[in-house]
Structure formats: C-alpha cells, structure tokens
Amino acid sequence: MHEAHALSGIKPYLFADIDRKRAALVERGIDVISLGIGDPDMPTPERIVEAMVEAVRNPANHQYPDYAGSLAFRTAAASYMSRRFGVEVDPATEVLTLIGSKEGIAHLHTAFVDPGDYVLVPSIGYPVYVTGAVLQNAQTWAMPMTADNGFLADFTAVPDEVAKKAKIMFLGYPNNPTGAIATPEYFDAAINFCRQHDILLAHDNAYSDLTFDGYVAPSILERPGARDVCIEFFSLSKPFNMTGWRLGFACGSARAIAALGKVKNNLDSGQFTAVQEAGIVALTDCQDDVTAMCGVYARRRDLLVDALHAIGVECDSPKATIYVWAKVPAGETSESFATTLLEKAHVVVTPGSGYGADGEGYIRLSLTTPDDQLREAVRRMKGAMA
Ligand SMILES: *Cc1c(COP(=O)(O)O)cnc(C)c1O
C-alpha cells in the first residue's frame, strides 16, 4: 500500500516528544500536572445534560440527521448571533451545523482550495488551518505575528503574487494561543484586503464568550462589508464545557456556507440531532453558566499571571480565552523550557513553536486545571527555576 503524498507533508506531532516524557514520568508514579491541553475541566451544565437525556429517548432522533443541521439548531444559532452581536443571518442559507468547529475548518479547505493554491494562515495559530491546506496539496503563507504588532497577523506583508493565488485567509480573535484580541480597525482592514483580492476570510471565533474584565468580543460579521466575504466559526466546546460533544456552527456568506455544506453532504451525515437539541439549550438558556465560567477562568488567570511574574516570567494578562502566553527566559527555546518544566517541576506546558514559527520563544499555559493544582504547578515552577 502507499499512503497519499499529502500525508507526508504533515510534520510529526510537535508535542510527541513531551508526551513521551510525560508518559515515562507517570509510569514511574510521579504526579504530573498538565497545563498543556485546552480542554475545560468542569462538567457540562446540568440543563444541557438533561436536555440530551430527554432527546436521546426520542425515536425521531435515532434516524439520519439533517445534513446541514436541524433547522431548530440553526435557528437557535441565528438567534444567538442576533442577540449577542446584532448580526442577522438566515438559518436556512447562512448557518450550517458542524460536528465541532474543527471539522468545519478542515473541510473548508476541501470546498475552496485546489492543489497549488495558497491559504493565508497566521504564523501562530490553530494547527488545522495549515494541515487542512496540506491535505489538499495546497501551499500556505504565514502572516507574521509578533508582540510588536499585538499578535495581529500582518496580511499587508503578503506578496502580490501570493495574494493572487490565495483562496482563504484564516484569522481567529480572541486568539488561541496568544490571547490577543482584535480591534475593529484591524477587522476592517482584513475585510478590505480580502475583498480586494477575492479571498474568503474565515474567522475562527471559538472564544467569543470567554472574556474578562468587561471586555466583550465581537463577531467579524458586525463589520461593514463582511457579509459576502466572511465565514465565521463558532464552537460550543469551550464556553459550555462541551468538547466531547462535538458541536459548533458556521455562519456568514451564503455562498461559502453552501460550498462547505456540499462537501459535508458528501463526507458526513450531520451531527446527531439529540446533540443539537442539547446545543439549543446551551445557546438559548445557559448565559449564567458561561458568566460563571468566565469568573473561574479570570480568577485562575490572575493566580497564574501573578505567580509567573513573581518568578520572573514575562506575560500579559489576557482579556479572553483560557490560555496564558508567556515568554521563555533568556537562553531557552520553547521546547527546552517546556522540557525543563516537565523534568524539574513535573508540569506540562505547550511549546509556542508548535503553533508556528513566530511562536518560538513562548509557551502556552492552559487555565483548564483546578485552582489547587494550578497553585501547586506554580509552586513547583518556582522551585524549578530557583
Ligand atoms: C478548540 C478550538 C477549536 C475547535 O473546537 P471544536 O469545536 O471542539 O472542534 C477551533 N479553533 C480554536 C482556535 C480552538 O481553540
């Protein structure tokens, strides 16, 4: 047998080495604290679980689901967009249910990219923006992201000949992993750039509702001119502690939604309708739970940022997301520092270089660990760095 050539273009899992070392420590009975994964540690709100239990008992939900998602879920998503952002989308033509937003992001490449085309990706970003392109035998061009530009991916650096062959530009704010937030002016300039070059702007908004200190994150669809060039991805995973359920949605340009829907019609059969019914309860009825989660993450963020500062590690206090993006000490690389923390403190963090070239020199620490373990992790890091 012969694997597809495209598969060999996917680099070995960058965190594999750390995973291996972690497994070896755990095998020796050592208590390893993980600040590595962005996977909420608290359970899904009870109301959502109850709705699911009820929906599972309904035989109507046992048959093939609607490919594009149930109209009821898409309508709940449209109502959320209207209530939360003042953005009106038509549930029938401008909203698509996803089996998690990762699925939609990966399939967007299949819908829009031919071999040899370019996909514009942030130089620090969610890995699927790149791997989705690789699987289509497309090329990626990394838009520079640095502390100096506020980690706002610099599309003005894209060469003309690349822009001409570019089909999709991916952006995502509030940003995983940097915690950066976008300004309205930045979104407007990105929309103009994509209009000018006839590029689909895909905005990954997985953290729109996990914000702190009074900050309210926007939808890119609020901006003038966004409607016909943008598709925006939302995920129920992070705000509702539903990573295991696999539910998200895309909305925006009817043409982009139709193309993505056509791919999905042929590759999957839609998310289990019972999961979508539970998702309706999340989108409609669980704002209090999300507010409570924001309180928990804000408290953990303060605890972690203060502790990092106390041991001389530089980091900003993020206004959103569930991550702290910290600079590695002088003389260390992302990977060497992550390895030091693992070996000396038994704490797992993610090397920034795993998210792209400009992530070198940083680590990402996740806030999805109970407070007492987070405190213990910081105490150990202090010891390791002393
Ligand atoms: C977690 C995450 C996703 C994927 O979310 P799912 O809906 O669980 O697939 C997408 N983008 C970013 C930036 C994420 O952090």
Side-chain angles (χ1 to χ4, degrees), residues 38 99-103 105 126 129 176 204 206-207 234-238 243 246-248 323:
I99 307 173
S101 65
K102 180 183 188 179
E103 176 265 299
I105 290 166
Y126 187 61
Y129 309 150
N176 172 14
D204 184 3
Y207 297 93
F234 288 88
S235 169
L236 278 70
S237 288
K238 306 332 189 311
T243 47
R246 313 312 303 134
L247 188 61
Y323 310 107

Side-chain angles (χ1 to χ4, degrees), residues 102-116:
K102 180 183 188 179
E103 176 265 299
I105 290 166
H107 283 148
L108 192 69
H109 295 90
T110 314
F112 281 92
V113 182
D114 290 310

Side-chain angles (χ1 to χ4, degrees), residues 57 61 86-87 97 106 111 114 117 127 165 167 170 181 186 196 208 211 218 245 277 291 354 373 376 379:
R57 292 192 193 282
N61 291 336
V87 168
T97 303
D114 290 310
D117 286 345
K165 288 201 276 178
K167 293 296 178 62
F170 281 98
I181 55 177
Y186 175 75
Q196 194 185 332
S208 55
T211 60
W245 297 59
E277 286 194 11
T291 304
Q373 281 198 54
E376 170 64 12
R379 198 189 58 74

Side-chain angles (χ1 to χ4, degrees), residues 63-106:
Q63 296 188 281
Y64 277 122
D66 189 313
Y67 286 117
S70 72
L71 190 58
F73 179 79
R74 285 182 285 146
T75 301
S79 303
Y80 163 83
M81 292 302 293
S82 171
R83 206 170 54 239
R84 171 68 177 78
F85 303 109
V87 168
E88 304 302 327
V89 284
D90 174 7
T93 58
E94 295 175 320
V95 183
L96 191 64
T97 303
L98 301 173
I99 307 173
S101 65
K102 180 183 188 179
E103 176 265 299
I105 290 166

Side-chain angles (χ1 to χ4, degrees), residues 45 47 240 282 284-295:
R47 260 173 296 187
F240 302 108
T284 315
D285 239 6
C286 293
Q287 196 40 56
D288 291 353
D289 299 277
V290 178
T291 304
M293 288 313 305
C294 289

